[in-house]
Amino acid sequence: MKKILLAIFLMAATHLFGQPALPSAGQPAGRYKIIAYYTGNGETIKQYPVKKLTHIIYSFLKLQHDSLRFHNEAQQQALQQLVQLKKLNPQLKIMVSIGGWGGCVPCSGLFSSAAHRTMFAKTSVALFKQYGIDGLDLDWEYPAIEGYPGHAYDTADKNNFTELVKALRKEMGQEYILSFAAGGFVKYLEHSIDWDAVMPLVDFVNLMTYDLVGGYSTVTGHHTPLKGYRPAQESTQKCVNWLLDKNIDAEKLIIGAAFYARVWENVSGSNHGLYQQGKFKEGVAYKNFSAYFS
């Protein structure tokens, strides 16, 4: 089976950091990526082991008309603080992201226009140059299939996403990093992305191999499983193998790990509560595990 280079990025609701998997024989550690999505400021992050990271993706900037913009002055200052971290960590890349769950309301309509795609690419590169940003991550949830309730989506999104990536790469050249966050479930893999067209143009893809059992589910389960334990179960292994079977470059696959738990209530004790009917209660951050589950 093909080996995958570093397989971790952190879902960034809070300041969470991961450790690299052990390199395979013959694969130098320098080729691995440890990526954190981050929402806070440049001072708070200093209490964490930033030197272990290769990329920080600051999340999320906004789409204003057809341009990439900061939400406010505080966000602009936070990004500038993060860029300053590169002085102490020369290997560190600072990227920005748009979208997220609930953050891509205009994406389907906006990116259906070639003119808007071109303007977005131009304003993005202008922002990179102005602030010393190293690249962009597209977190459109999701092209061509239903995502956040009420968000517009259309089958044409699949091709429009490809055209957006082409416009960005043309404007960015090879000077800047381009990536995207991808749903870790089969419906997304099959319907949202033209993998053959997109993957040669991006530097890597961040696989959202978490939330595979979400708060919408009335049945308990592992929401970020490494392997599937039931027929038709979504899992990291299924997602990765699907892409490898499509001959996607393994070195461009970054596996997402969620450092939070999901909690259900009104669950029977059968099978220790696993795969049982229940009512979703809440999520619990990793830093709160010891107190919550004691």
Side-chain angles (χ1 to χ4, degrees), residues 267-287:
V267 179
S268 77
S270 300
N271 196 31
H272 305 288
L274 189 59
Y275 311 129
Q276 305 300 310
Q277 290 290 325
K279 179 183 177 182
F280 178 73
K281 182 180 180 181
E282 60 188 322
V284 181
Y286 175 78
K287 64 181 180 180

Side-chain angles (χ1 to χ4, degrees), residues 10 31 86 117 127 154-155 176 180 194 204 217 227 234 279:
L10 280 298
R31 293 170 60 195
K86 295 196 292 182
R117 292 192 297 264
L127 195 74
D154 190 275
T155 54
Y176 298 102
F180 68 102
D194 182 345
F204 49 85
S217 177
K227 296 182 179 181
E234 304 284 5
K279 179 183 177 182

Side-chain angles (χ1 to χ4, degrees), residues 198-209:
V198 168
M199 289 308 296
L201 300 174
V202 300
D203 294 279
F204 49 85
V205 53
N206 299 319
L207 302 174
M208 293 187 285
T209 44

Side-chain angles (χ1 to χ4, degrees), residues 168-182:
L168 285 163
R169 181 52 75 197
K170 179 180 179 180
E171 192 68 28
M172 294 165 67
Q174 298 303 313
E175 183 178 355
Y176 298 102
I177 303 166
L178 179 59
S179 66
F180 68 102

Side-chain angles (χ1 to χ4, degrees), residues 60-73:
F60 295 95
L61 271 58
K62 68 176 180 178
L63 281 168
Q64 184 172 313
H65 304 300
D66 52 9
S67 298
L68 185 63
R69 294 286 184 265
F70 295 107
H71 283 273
N72 49 48
E73 185 176 342

Side-chain angles (χ1 to χ4, degrees), residues 84-288:
Q84 290 299 310
L85 295 175
K86 295 196 292 182
K87 292 183 177 179
L88 298 176
N89 306 284
Q91 87 291 345
L92 184 63
K93 302 297 182 184
I94 303 297
M95 301 171 63
V96 294
S97 183
I98 62 160
W101 187 247
C104 218
V105 176
C107 288
S108 181
L110 183 71
F111 295 136
S112 66
S113 161
H116 287 320
R117 292 192 297 264
T118 299
M119 181 56 67
F120 175 73
K122 289 183 178 297
T123 59
S124 296
V125 170
L127 195 74
F128 300 164
K129 292 179 178 178
Q130 182 177 356
Y131 290 97
I133 299 167
D134 294 302
L136 176 69
D137 180 72
L138 298 170
D139 191 0
W140 179 350
E141 301 183 27
Y142 304 103
I145 63 174
E146 185 176 8
Y148 187 84
H151 277 201
Y153 64 96
D154 190 275
T155 54
D157 294 341
K158 182 175 183 178
N159 181 66
N160 292 336
F161 184 86
T162 300
E163 294 303 315
L164 173 62
V165 169
K166 288 179 179 178
L168 285 163
R169 181 52 75 197
K170 179 180 179 180
E171 192 68 28
M172 294 165 67
Q174 298 303 313
E175 183 178 355
Y176 298 102
I177 303 166
L178 179 59
S179 66
F180 68 102
F185 52 95
V186 172
K187 186 174 182 180
Y188 177 96
L189 298 173
E190 291 181 343
H191 298 290
S192 293
I193 303 296
D194 182 345
W195 296 95
D196 291 337
V198 168
M199 289 308 296
L201 300 174
V202 300
D203 294 279
F204 49 85
V205 53
N206 299 319
L207 302 174
M208 293 187 285
T209 44
Y210 48 79
D211 290 343
L212 298 180
V213 176
Y216 54 82
S217 177
T218 58
V219 178
T220 66
H222 300 295
H223 81 97
T224 181
L226 181 61
K227 296 182 179 181
Y229 301 98
R230 311 176 82 198
Q233 183 178 359
E234 304 284 5
S235 70
T236 299
Q237 184 181 57
K238 177 182 285 189
C239 175
V240 170
N241 284 343
W242 192 97
L243 292 166
L244 293 179
D245 287 343
K246 292 279 289 184
N247 294 316
I248 302 301
D249 184 353
E251 295 190 14
K252 290 188 175 184
L253 301 182
I254 313 297
I255 293 173
F259 281 19
Y260 54 86
R262 294 197 175 282
V263 180
W264 280 260
E265 58 187 357
N266 303 328
V267 179
S268 77
S270 300
N271 196 31
H272 305 288
L274 189 59
Y275 311 129
Q276 305 300 310
Q277 290 290 325
K279 179 183 177 182
F280 178 73
K281 182 180 180 181
E282 60 188 322
V284 181
Y286 175 78
K287 64 181 180 180
N288 298 326

